Amino acid sequence: MFTVFGANGNTGSVVARRLLDSGKKVCLVVRDPNKVAALRSRGAEVVTGDVTDASAVKSALAGAEGAYLLVPPDNKSNDLVGRGRRNRRQTTSRA
């Protein structure tokens, strides 16, 4: 199984489609499952989650053969570097 976070985005959707085209089992982790209905209809498993939630990441990656994760920037933040450090600390301390 391959896990794809953000499969409704520009790059995540391409990764998900290519994996499905190759006959791979795919698990999509998205905030809004309705946005990946077309991929679900092609056989993808869909779970609700967010790449910034360490427990969701850990759960979604359990047993995965491979994964695609892209942490989107928070353009409203005044401290993008600090946000990245916090995300990294959360993920490494809980994973």
Side-chain angles (χ1 to χ4, degrees):
M1 168 95 50
F2 289 85
T3 302
V4 179
F5 284 79
N8 60 307
N10 292 325
T11 61
S13 62
V14 172
V15 171
R17 283 194 309 270
R18 294 257 172 111
L19 287 166
L20 289 166
D21 290 346
S22 297
K24 304 294 185 187
K25 291 180 67 173
V26 180
C27 175
L28 310 177
V29 184
V30 295
R31 287 176 284 187
D32 183 354
N34 294 322
K35 292 184 177 181
V36 292
L39 294 169
R40 182 193 314 247
S41 71
R42 292 189 55 198
E45 176 185 343
V46 178
V47 297
T48 303
D50 190 300
V51 73
T52 62
D53 178 349
S55 61
V57 172
K58 183 177 181 180
S59 177
L61 294 179
E65 179 180 343
Y68 178 83
L69 299 91
L70 179 66
V71 180
D74 179 358
N75 294 327
K76 295 179 183 178
S77 174
N78 293 326
D79 184 13
L80 295 176
V81 173
R83 177 182 178 262
R85 287 183 181 135
R86 283 189 300 280
N87 285 342
R88 187 177 70 219
R89 277 194 301 267
Q90 288 175 347
T91 302
T92 57
S93 68
R94 295 181 192 167

